[in-house]
Amino acid sequence: MESVQAIKQRFEIIGNDSKLNRAIEKAIQVAPTDISVLVTGESGVGKESIPKIIHSLSHRKHGKYIAVNCGAIPEGTIDSELFGHEKGSFTGATGARDGYFEVADGGTNFLDEVGELPLTTQVRLLRVLENGEFIKVGSSQVQKTNVRIVAATNVNMFDAIEKGKFREDLYYRLSTVDINLPPLRERKEDIHLLFRKFAADFAQKYKMPAIKLEDTAVDLLLKYRWSGNIRQLRNIAEQISVLETNRTISLQTLYSYLPQEGSNLPAVIKDKKAENDFSSEREILYKVLFDMKSDLNDLKKLTLELMQNGSSKVQETNKNLIQKLYGQKEEAEIAFEQPKTESIPLQNQFEQEEFEDDDDDQNYLFAETVEEEETLRLDAKEIELIKKALDRNKGKRKAAADELGISERTLYRKIKQFDL
């Protein structure tokens, strides 16, 4: 049996992390058997290396090894790709075709992104795992295959099972042995080692000196989250190798190549712009709310004063406030021109409708003081003001309600009440 170090050299696997070594050990131990294996881990951690190790160390090493990306094959053709089809079985099937399970008979099939398989295909795959039988699309003849299946996924299989996207029985058949590869952020001691290896490879490929990182850049490299794992690290190394003329890479240069999204990137220069913007918006909101509260208090105070004496002096003193509450100078002038028994209850009635859900005894007390004979005259004045507001705003209820100082719901109720 080959050692872990020998396997690393053979398959060009870089790193000394204990979790990585344990995953390779499990692959070496399970290779001589025909047990199905499920390789798990995030995207870009190098899951494709494990099936190759298993196949090369098994008694099937002289058979075919076929890697299938299940997520890249359309749902309508995945069954044909895996199990084959007969001539005329569907539109475009001009001839019979052997599927991967038939072609790889005696060898190994690596099903990458197995979590993306449709449920109907999962049923067919389960039958292959249980007794080695499958049926081509458009055929009724059962065929046998002796193929080993190694699957891989970056999907949380338990979540997929709970959501009904993956069969639980198939999961347990695939994961007889589960080999998990750790994400790059959990292999801190391997990150710089991998970067140097990629830098050397690209220097040879593009015939230029290899790039080197300053100490501060190395610290940033180790602190970065690397959500794309080894694949992302390799891409960053290639970009810098090609684009930078200075072969010694500083902290700021490396920082400029790292995607600055989410919490992946540790901040080099603290930026509080977003925080300041939020605080500013919050202060504006508070100010608007306080202003609204102040207007309501002023309106209540004015109403009480008018209830007590209704003098012209009170009206004149609070003219600016009334004008502000009405929203238009012209409306305020209309209010002042009306007799005391008409203009005051009219405004109060609008206010009562606007705050009819509140437990404000003052509003209800004032409403009860309106005489029945005055209500008749108020109805006429209400109709006149509502019609005028609607005409001025070309029938737009929201704008008319704002001009009258009432809610759109109250205005709608008035329109319906007066059959306007």
Side-chain angles (χ1 to χ4, degrees):
M1 183 180 294
E2 294 188 51
S3 66
V4 172
Q5 192 60 36
I7 291 296
K8 286 181 183 179
Q9 293 177 354
R10 181 175 170 185
F11 290 92
E12 297 184 347
I13 298 175
I14 307 297
N16 297 310
D17 181 74
S18 59
K19 293 180 181 178
L20 174 65
N21 291 340
R22 178 54 185 155
I24 296 174
E25 286 177 0
K26 290 173 73 172
I28 294 172
Q29 291 170 345
V30 77
T33 71
D34 282 331
I35 297 175
S36 56
V37 178
L38 179 63
V39 185
T40 58
E42 296 180 6
S43 178
V45 295
K47 295 187 293 292
E48 64 280 355
S49 297
I50 299 298
K52 293 178 181 178
I53 294 172
I54 293 174
H55 177 72
S56 65
L57 299 180
S58 71
H59 61 85
R60 301 172 179 269
K61 61 184 177 182
H62 299 297
K64 286 195 175 183
Y65 172 82
I66 299 179
V68 184
N69 189 336
C70 301
I73 303 175
E75 184 175 344
T77 60
I78 184 69
D79 286 351
S80 173
E81 294 287 329
L82 294 178
F83 308 104
H85 65 259
E86 295 291 349
K87 180 180 179 180
S89 56
F90 55 86
T91 303
T94 55
R97 182 186 185 279
D98 295 336
Y100 296 133
F101 285 108
E102 186 174 359
V103 174
D105 189 17
T108 304
N109 265 351
F110 170 42
L111 303 181
D112 196 9
E113 304 301 339
V114 71
E116 304 296 330
L117 282 177
L119 288 172
T120 53
T121 307
Q122 293 178 30
V123 176
R124 288 173 172 262
L125 178 59
L126 182 61
R127 185 175 182 182
V128 175
L129 286 167
E130 288 178 343
N131 49 36
E133 295 179 349
F134 69 95
I135 300 176
K136 287 186 175 183
V137 177
S139 173
S140 58
Q141 181 180 356
V142 177
Q143 295 183 235
K144 299 282 288 185
T145 183
N146 178 21
V147 65
R148 182 179 193 168
I149 296 176
V150 181
T153 183
N154 59 6
V155 174
N156 187 317
M157 298 302 283
F158 293 106
D159 286 347
I161 292 170
E162 186 177 347
K163 294 176 182 177
K165 295 182 179 180
F166 201 85
R167 294 178 60 94
E168 187 174 10
D169 50 0
L170 176 58
Y171 167 73
Y172 288 113
R173 285 292 298 170
L174 285 172
S175 62
T176 306
V177 173
D178 190 342
I179 299 178
N180 180 261
L181 287 176
L184 188 58
R185 60 181 171 275
E186 296 180 6
R187 298 169 52 190
K188 298 285 188 184
E189 65 278 10
D190 293 342
I191 295 177
H192 190 207
L193 190 64
L194 283 163
F195 186 89
R196 287 161 53 193
K197 172 64 167 61
F198 294 145
D201 290 345
F202 292 128
Q204 182 178 2
K205 178 179 180 181
Y206 299 116
K207 295 179 174 54
M208 58 178 62
I211 57 174
K212 295 181 181 179
L213 298 179
E214 293 181 355
D215 292 341
T216 53
V218 173
D219 291 338
L220 176 61
L221 194 76
L222 301 182
K223 291 177 182 178
Y224 189 65
R225 183 175 174 79
W226 298 112
S227 56
N229 294 291
I230 298 173
R231 185 183 296 121
Q232 183 184 12
L233 179 66
R234 185 179 186 277
N235 289 342
I236 293 295
E238 186 170 16
Q239 287 183 54
I240 298 175
S241 297
V242 172
L243 299 178
E244 290 299 319
T245 55
N246 187 351
R247 310 314 286 176
T248 301
I249 308 303
S250 66
L251 167 67
Q252 292 294 340
T253 301
L254 176 61
Y255 187 89
S256 66
Y257 282 92
L258 299 179
Q260 302 181 35
E261 54 185 56
S263 59
N264 284 348
L265 193 61
V268 175
I269 301 174
K270 191 171 182 181
D271 186 0
K272 294 187 177 180
K273 183 178 184 300
E275 181 181 350
N276 292 337
D277 289 345
F278 175 76
S279 299
S280 178
E281 291 177 1
R282 182 173 55 189
E283 290 175 2
I284 294 173
L285 179 60
Y286 285 160
K287 185 178 185 303
V288 171
L289 292 175
F290 282 128
D291 289 344
M292 290 175 63
K293 182 178 179 182
S294 177
D295 289 345
L296 286 175
N297 290 335
D298 291 341
L299 180 59
K300 290 178 181 179
K301 179 180 177 182
L302 173 62
T303 303
L304 288 174
E305 290 179 0
L306 292 172
M307 284 174 57
Q308 292 172 358
N309 48 46
S311 67
S312 59
K313 181 178 180 181
V314 173
Q315 292 182 350
E316 185 64 28
T317 303
N318 296 278
K319 183 174 181 178
N320 291 335
L321 176 59
I322 295 174
Q323 182 175 337
K324 177 182 178 183
L325 293 172
Y326 270 79
Q328 295 289 337
K329 180 178 179 181
E330 183 178 351
E331 296 292 359
E333 296 296 338
I334 292 173
F336 291 138
E337 291 172 3
Q338 303 304 321
K340 178 182 69 176
T341 57
E342 292 182 359
S343 61
I344 298 171
L346 176 61
Q347 178 161 338
N348 183 75
Q349 187 166 351
F350 279 150
E351 183 171 330
Q352 180 187 356
E353 292 290 342
E354 184 69 15
F355 302 100
E356 61 184 358
D357 293 331
D358 294 342
D359 294 329
D360 193 340
D361 293 338
Q362 295 177 355
N363 288 336
Y364 292 105
L365 176 62
F366 185 38
E368 292 175 359
T369 64
V370 179
E371 297 294 333
E372 182 177 355
E373 59 181 357
E374 293 176 337
T375 303
L376 295 176
R377 292 195 298 272
L378 283 174
D379 288 348
K381 181 55 65 178
E382 282 187 79
I383 292 172
E384 179 184 348
L385 289 176
I386 290 172
K387 284 183 175 180
K388 184 174 182 180
L390 289 171
D391 290 341
R392 287 164 59 109
N393 293 281
K394 299 181 179 179
K396 295 180 181 178
R397 293 176 182 172
K398 188 177 187 310
D402 291 341
E403 185 172 350
L404 289 169
I406 60 177
S407 68
E408 188 176 1
R409 180 170 59 87
T410 301
L411 176 60
Y412 178 79
R413 188 164 57 251
K414 293 289 184 182
I415 292 173
K416 188 174 181 181
Q417 177 185 345
F418 299 133
D419 195 22
L420 299 177

